[in-house]
Amino acid sequence: MEQRVLKTLEYDKIIALLVDKASCTYGKEKAAELTPFVQLDEVKIAQQGTQEAATVLRLKGSAPLGGIRDIRSSVQRARLNAMLAPLELLDIASTIMAGRRLKNFLLDMCQDHDLPLLQQQAERIEGLRELEMEIRRCIDENGDVLDSASVELRQVRQEIRQVESRIREKLDQMTRSSSYQKMLMENIVTIRGDRFVIPVKQEYRHVFGGIVHDQSASGATLFIEPEVIVSMNNKLRELRLREEREVERILYILTEQVSFAVEALVENVDALTELDFLFAKAQLAWSMKAVCPKLNDRGYLQMRKARHPLIPREIVVPVDVELGGEYQAIVVTGPNTGGKTVSLKTIGLLSLMAMSGLHIPAEEESEMTVFSSVFADIGDEQSIEQSLSTFSSHMTNIISILEKMDEKSLVLFDELGAGTDPTEGAALAMSIIDHVIDSGARMVATTHYSELKAYAYDRPEVINASVEFDVQTLRPTYRLLVGVPGRSNAFAIARRLGLPEAIIEVARGSISEEDNQVESMIASLERNRKSAEADRNAAASLRREAEELRRQLDEERARFAEEKNKLMERAEEEARIAVQLAKEEAETIIRELREMRDDGVEIKEHRLIEAKKRLGNAVLELEKEKVKKPARAVRATQIKVGDEVMVTSFGQKGTVLEKVNNDEFLVQIGIMKMKVRRDDMNVQNSITQKPQTAPYTSVNRRTASIKMDLDLRGYNVEDAIREMDQFLDDALLGGLHSVSIIHGHGTGVLRKGVHEYLRSHRNVKSFRLGGQGEGGVGATIAELK
């Protein structure tokens, strides 16, 4: 890809955002070098890596990427046996630990989820626990070599501390002595050149002897090493030299151990670089609310609700674009500042992002293609140095594009043919579009020329598009309308601003009949489009309602079957217990009768056997009743409004609301009303036979008026709780099993209050935030007991 095109489409700004998401130097460098791939297999692998990392972030929130240091120069120095400094060794230990922690985290994730690319990178990381532990045993977190690093170092440092103690003790005696105090500038012991000294007034220098190591700026104070401690300071110096040699020996040993692990460390760095890069791409996708697109190499792309990633989400207007299927080129017309260039850049930038393995800010099921190259001529590229006009500059760029493009290229032209005579410019623009189409490339072009509107109708490979303009507010809506050419709107704007109608009519009369017909045709197309869009939205809404009703019905049926099975099991268990108790009671009675007979009471044996037999028969009848299916309700020939019926095809009870005709009735089943045929119903309870069932009928009727959602936006927490309390009571009374509570996004205070209330409510089984189509994080779905 040409760097000029990447800069024109603001790809460099996306890369800057990606670099900012990386955690370590390695990942930032790899992110900064990212360029689009041109092979489908490469793009698929890149997108898969981003998707796997996004899955980890979605499930875990983050990945443990902390502690990774840039150890590449240290590893290379270890390869050359150059002694590493303590802090360099600490960075190596930190990176080893960070790699092992990330590896364990990812491999645990891979046990429950299919993440082959992440697993492959994680398995490349060597644990190197022994090297890390040895470095940490010898060096503390501040980069100091510990006494425990070796026996020799511990002994030397013990001697150093002993000698220092004796020196300080000797000097402290001198500073506390009354005979010396008047000779000292201060009663302190200090250090100059690694040797202990005391501050002596200049005139008493000869009293202490020894060595002068420093003096004050005024010369009044001399820092003298008294003669009595010179030998002890010499001894201390020798010990410190031994300490330095031992520390160097330890560092060389550690460096040698690092050199043995150089290859493993380099492999770890490569794997950590790739993992940090993948998670940076996933973080960028999360921040943009981006999705993984479908991919192809057929030159077909379909963007659904695509958003320019550099425009704030709250103000960007999504666009729907399809290119490369039925149409090879799109010609976009419309007023200035209407959003034509933004739409053009959105198409180009999202194509580059998809080819780079980055997710795109669009809706699910968007499909992108892998182009061999992307070309763009956008903006004012006038060159002062070359003394080229705007038109010349654009034409020079266009000529270069026409020479380099092929059938797998995407070509973007902004204001094609502008900057010259309108007639010649329009003719040139049409000729250029013809040439691009003949080459097989995909193209999107914006223009002001009205001639290109009719041109697009004459070419089956080209489709018109426009950016919408609201004549009432005199502002563009920035919506891209594919299939409808743009209107000039000059007369409408002038009328709106108050220009006299007579002037407007004179101006309209000066326009050719053909141009007026084109404008009328465009206006008709726009009206038809808006009508079709409204019908489509209404149909989509009805479809969603039907799907929701079907889902609720399926849940009701499943719940009914489950409750029926539970009741059957409970009845069987109760019958079994009753039978067992009866048998035990019978055995007890017979045993007592026999005992009475043995005591002399006259009881015939055959009477005992007969009694037991009758009990056995009773048990058998109970067992039969236990497994017998519930008796089917008697089919009634006369069904009346208010009857409780069983709808055979759904397996659910309902209430007859009204008679439609002789064969059909309107029946209320839960929250739904539907027409049911007479032969599909069995009367359960008739209002004439069982008037006491009327209360159930009224409850069923009330259900129809109960809402399944409660909108609390604008409420404070206290008022919201009162509303929820009444709402949940009505929902439970109406037999609802799931309700939606809308609290909006806001500051989160209302959502927190709603969740705390639901968590403590005795009749709420569970709750969750809404999903796609349910209000997202602005709504909570509660399951009732």
Side-chain angles (χ1 to χ4, degrees):
M1 295 294 167
E2 296 181 359
Q3 289 299 319
R4 184 188 61 80
V5 174
L6 298 180
K7 184 174 180 61
T8 298
L9 294 176
E10 300 178 290
Y11 179 81
D12 56 323
K13 295 181 180 179
I14 298 298
I15 294 302
L17 293 176
L18 179 63
V19 169
D20 188 56
K21 298 297 181 183
S23 298
C24 67
T25 305
Y26 316 138
K28 291 182 183 295
E29 292 177 356
K30 186 173 179 65
E33 297 168 357
L34 178 63
T35 55
F37 302 101
V38 295
Q39 297 297 325
L40 179 61
D41 291 341
E42 293 178 319
V43 177
K44 284 185 175 179
I45 292 174
Q47 286 286 355
Q48 181 185 346
T50 307
Q51 182 66 12
E52 290 183 13
T55 299
V56 173
L57 295 184
R58 177 173 55 84
L59 296 174
K60 296 295 185 179
S62 63
L65 291 165
I68 302 174
R69 305 285 186 265
D70 189 356
I71 61 172
R72 288 169 295 186
S73 61
S74 300
V75 170
Q76 292 304 318
R77 291 181 62 234
R79 193 195 295 271
L80 300 174
N81 292 320
M83 186 187 76
L84 299 180
L87 291 177
E88 291 179 295
L89 291 166
L90 273 184
D91 286 346
I92 292 173
S94 176
T95 303
I96 291 173
M97 184 181 70
R100 188 171 61 251
R101 182 174 61 241
L102 181 59
K103 175 181 181 178
N104 295 336
F105 171 81
L106 292 177
L107 292 183
D108 287 343
M109 288 286 297
C110 292
Q111 291 180 358
D112 301 322
H113 305 279
D114 186 24
L115 306 169
L117 294 182
L118 292 182
Q119 182 173 353
Q120 178 184 354
Q121 296 299 330
E123 289 174 346
R124 293 175 59 192
I125 300 175
E126 293 284 343
L128 301 176
R129 181 183 292 272
E130 293 182 1
L131 175 58
E132 180 208 344
M133 298 307 295
E134 183 63 16
I135 292 174
R136 295 192 183 281
R137 185 187 68 82
C138 296
I139 302 173
D140 66 14
E141 59 185 10
N142 297 318
D144 297 324
V145 178
L146 296 168
D147 293 359
S148 58
S150 72
V151 175
E152 172 67 15
L153 185 61
R154 180 185 294 108
Q155 291 176 348
V156 169
R157 286 181 172 173
Q158 285 178 349
E159 292 183 40
I160 288 174
R161 286 189 285 271
Q162 291 172 358
V163 172
E164 285 181 344
S165 178
R166 290 200 299 270
I167 292 174
R168 285 184 176 278
E169 183 179 354
K170 187 67 175 175
L171 292 177
D172 284 343
Q173 290 177 356
M174 296 177 69
T175 58
R176 288 195 298 268
S177 171
S178 58
S179 58
Y180 286 116
Q181 284 183 355
K182 65 178 181 178
M183 305 178 186
L184 299 176
M185 188 64 68
E186 291 183 85
N187 297 331
I188 59 171
V189 177
T190 185
I191 295 176
R192 290 291 187 275
D194 291 335
R195 300 179 77 89
F196 286 92
V197 295
I198 54 176
V200 180
K201 295 178 181 179
Q202 198 277 339
E203 58 269 25
Y204 297 108
R205 180 239 180 278
H206 63 280
V207 177
F208 296 91
I211 303 170
V212 177
H213 288 279
D214 197 4
Q215 67 179 7
S216 64
S218 63
T221 304
L222 302 177
F223 294 93
I224 296 177
E225 176 185 355
E227 187 175 359
V228 293
I229 64 165
V230 169
S231 60
M232 287 189 286
N233 265 335
N234 290 340
K235 175 65 174 177
L236 182 62
R237 178 61 180 164
E238 291 175 5
L239 290 173
R240 284 178 173 161
L241 289 174
R242 282 179 56 192
E243 178 191 23
E244 290 177 6
R245 288 193 296 270
E246 182 61 16
V247 167
E248 287 181 2
R249 188 185 71 83
I250 293 169
L251 294 178
Y252 269 118
I253 292 175
L254 293 175
T255 301
E256 185 179 23
Q257 294 181 17
V258 171
S259 69
F260 293 149
V262 162
E263 299 304 325
L265 288 170
V266 170
E267 186 74 5
N268 283 10
V269 167
D270 291 343
L272 290 172
T273 300
E274 185 65 27
L275 289 170
D276 187 37
F277 173 63
L278 292 178
F279 281 106
K281 292 197 294 181
Q283 289 279 8
L284 182 65
W286 182 86
S287 67
M288 293 181 177
K289 308 300 180 187
V291 300
C292 181
K294 296 180 179 178
L295 296 168
N296 68 77
D297 57 358
R298 306 187 314 275
Y300 173 77
L301 64 84
Q302 183 183 34
M303 299 180 183
R304 298 184 176 183
K305 304 297 181 187
R307 309 179 304 276
H308 195 290
L310 300 177
I311 300 177
R313 185 179 174 87
E314 59 273 13
I315 64 173
V316 67
V317 178
V319 296
D320 293 305
V321 180
E322 185 174 359
L323 181 65
E326 187 176 354
Y327 305 104
Q328 184 182 340
I330 300 175
V331 176
V332 186
T333 53
N336 283 330
T337 70
K340 299 194 304 297
T341 303
V342 171
S343 298
L344 199 68
K345 285 188 173 183
T346 300
I347 296 170
L349 181 56
L350 266 59
S351 295
L352 294 175
M353 289 175 63
M355 293 165 60
S356 301
L358 301 175
H359 287 183
I360 61 172
E363 285 192 350
E364 298 284 353
E365 302 302 316
S366 293
E367 186 167 358
M368 304 297 291
T369 188
V370 179
F371 295 107
S372 62
S373 54
V374 176
F375 298 103
D377 179 62
I378 299 175
D380 185 2
E381 302 193 14
Q382 184 172 353
S383 174
I384 297 176
E385 291 88 354
Q386 298 178 10
S387 299
L388 296 175
S389 67
T390 300
F391 176 76
S392 299
S393 176
H394 280 293
M395 194 51 58
T396 301
N397 193 23
I398 290 171
I399 292 170
S400 175
I401 291 173
L402 297 181
E403 290 175 349
K404 297 175 183 177
M405 70 181 183
D406 58 27
E407 69 278 2
K408 291 187 176 181
S409 298
L410 172 65
V411 181
L412 306 172
F413 291 132
D414 188 28
E415 300 300 343
L416 183 61
T420 187
D421 177 76
T423 303
E424 294 181 353
L428 196 58
M430 288 186 282
S431 180
I432 292 172
I433 294 174
D434 282 339
H435 181 78
V436 174
I437 291 174
D438 292 341
S439 74
R442 305 296 184 263
M443 185 196 72
V444 183
T446 69
T447 181
H448 278 302
Y449 297 133
S450 60
E451 291 86 347
L452 267 69
K453 302 173 186 177
Y455 165 83
Y457 281 106
D458 295 334
R459 293 297 300 263
E461 306 93 344
V462 185
I463 187 170
N464 272 311
S466 61
V467 286
E468 190 177 49
F469 188 87
D470 190 337
V471 180
Q472 300 300 318
T473 62
L474 302 182
R475 291 181 179 179
T477 66
Y478 301 102
R479 293 181 60 202
L480 182 66
L481 309 176
V482 178
V484 180
R487 300 171 60 191
S488 65
N489 295 305
F491 294 150
I493 294 173
R495 180 181 293 109
R496 182 74 176 169
L497 293 175
L499 188 68
E501 189 67 27
I503 298 176
I504 294 174
E505 289 302 319
V506 171
R508 191 185 300 278
S510 64
I511 297 178
S512 67
E513 183 65 25
E514 182 180 350
D515 289 339
N516 280 324
Q517 289 177 355
V518 170
E519 285 297 315
S520 299
M521 177 189 67
I522 293 173
S524 176
L525 285 173
E526 190 167 351
R527 286 194 299 270
N528 292 337
R529 178 196 61 78
K530 290 182 178 179
S531 176
E533 185 175 357
D535 292 342
R536 183 172 64 251
N537 292 337
S541 178
L542 290 174
R543 185 180 69 250
R544 287 193 297 270
E545 290 180 8
E547 290 174 351
E548 178 65 17
L549 289 174
R550 183 183 181 87
R551 183 188 64 79
Q552 292 177 3
L553 180 58
D554 290 341
E555 291 179 356
E556 289 287 341
R557 292 178 65 180
R559 222 171 356 248
F560 174 78
E562 183 180 357
E563 291 175 359
K564 183 175 72 173
N565 291 335
K566 287 181 179 179
L567 289 173
M568 290 287 292
E569 292 174 0
R570 190 184 308 159
E572 290 176 3
E573 180 64 18
E574 290 175 355
R576 187 190 64 78
I577 294 172
V579 168
Q580 183 65 29
L581 291 174
K583 289 175 66 175
E584 293 176 356
E585 181 67 20
E587 292 290 349
T588 301
I589 293 172
I590 292 173
R591 183 170 61 254
E592 291 176 352
L593 290 173
R594 283 194 173 126
E595 290 174 355
M596 290 171 63
R597 185 193 60 184
D598 293 341
D599 291 339
V601 179
E602 186 64 25
I603 299 176
K604 301 294 185 181
E605 181 66 26
H606 71 277
R607 295 285 300 276
L608 293 173
I609 295 173
E610 183 179 354
K612 187 172 183 179
K613 184 178 180 181
R614 287 200 307 272
L615 287 171
N617 291 336
V619 169
L620 183 60
E621 290 299 323
L622 282 171
E623 292 289 346
K624 289 180 179 179
E625 290 295 328
K626 179 180 68 174
V627 299
K628 189 184 297 183
K629 292 183 179 179
R632 185 173 181 176
V634 179
R635 186 179 299 275
T637 57
Q638 296 295 328
I639 297 177
K640 297 174 291 299
V641 173
D643 283 353
E644 185 177 346
V645 296
M646 172 64 72
V647 180
T648 307
S649 58
F650 290 99
Q652 293 201 358
K653 291 181 180 181
T655 303
V656 178
L657 298 181
E658 65 178 81
K659 182 177 180 180
V660 179
N661 52 49
N662 288 333
D663 293 326
E664 286 187 324
F665 292 84
L666 184 63
V667 180
Q668 174 90 41
I669 302 177
I671 64 171
M672 295 180 297
K673 298 177 183 178
M674 59 179 62
K675 293 179 181 179
V676 182
R677 293 182 59 83
R678 179 191 297 274
D679 56 8
D680 193 22
M681 293 185 292
N682 295 323
V683 176
Q684 300 292 298
N685 293 310
S686 174
I687 58 173
T688 56
Q689 296 169 346
K690 293 184 178 282
Q692 64 271 24
T693 60
Y696 296 98
T697 302
S698 65
V699 170
N700 285 335
R701 287 179 177 170
R702 184 182 179 185
T703 303
S705 65
I706 294 176
K707 296 184 187 177
M708 295 187 65
D709 57 77
L710 174 64
D711 192 345
L712 296 177
R713 288 175 292 185
Y715 284 76
N716 58 37
V717 175
E718 184 178 351
D719 292 338
I721 290 176
R722 284 198 296 269
E723 291 292 326
M724 282 193 293
D725 190 56
Q726 180 64 43
F727 173 66
L728 292 177
D729 287 346
D730 291 343
L732 290 166
L733 183 60
L736 300 184
H737 296 278
S738 176
V739 295
S740 174
I741 299 175
I742 304 169
H743 43 65
H745 296 75
T747 61
V749 174
L750 182 56
R751 178 176 65 243
K752 181 179 178 182
V754 168
H755 286 184
E756 290 178 354
Y757 175 76
L758 293 177
R759 191 175 291 112
S760 61
H761 198 284
R762 63 183 181 281
N763 290 317
V764 175
K765 181 165 59 176
S766 62
F767 62 89
R768 60 179 175 82
L769 288 175
Q772 186 172 2
E774 296 178 328
V777 296
T780 295
I781 309 302
E783 301 291 334
L784 306 181
K785 296 181 179 178

